[in-house]
Amino acid sequence: MTRRTFDNPADHLDAAREMVESGRPALARLLVEEAAALTSDPVEAERILSEWLGPNREG
């Protein structure tokens, strides 16, 4: 097993894609939420959440 480092939002989104592909949607959601939280631009953070979780997501 390879140990990963998560240095930026893109790393979290890459890992989220892997979680989706391996059938782990709950982990993917957590990674997406963390990616958005680490994003300094609020507009970009909202875009990430909307793109991944949909516009009608629960808060």
Side-chain angles (χ1 to χ4, degrees):
M1 177 179 235
T2 304
R3 186 174 194 117
R4 293 186 67 166
T5 59
F6 296 90
D7 298 324
N8 57 58
D11 293 336
H12 286 76
L13 294 176
D14 288 342
R17 283 183 197 88
E18 291 177 17
M19 293 301 105
V20 168
E21 291 170 1
S22 65
R24 298 178 180 139
L27 291 175
R29 181 185 178 101
L30 293 173
L31 287 160
V32 167
E33 289 173 348
E34 186 63 18
L38 292 171
T39 302
S40 59
D41 178 3
V43 173
E44 179 65 9
E46 183 59 32
R47 185 198 64 77
I48 290 169
L49 292 171
S50 291
E51 182 178 299
W52 278 82
L53 306 178
N56 299 320
R57 70 187 180 279
E58 291 182 26

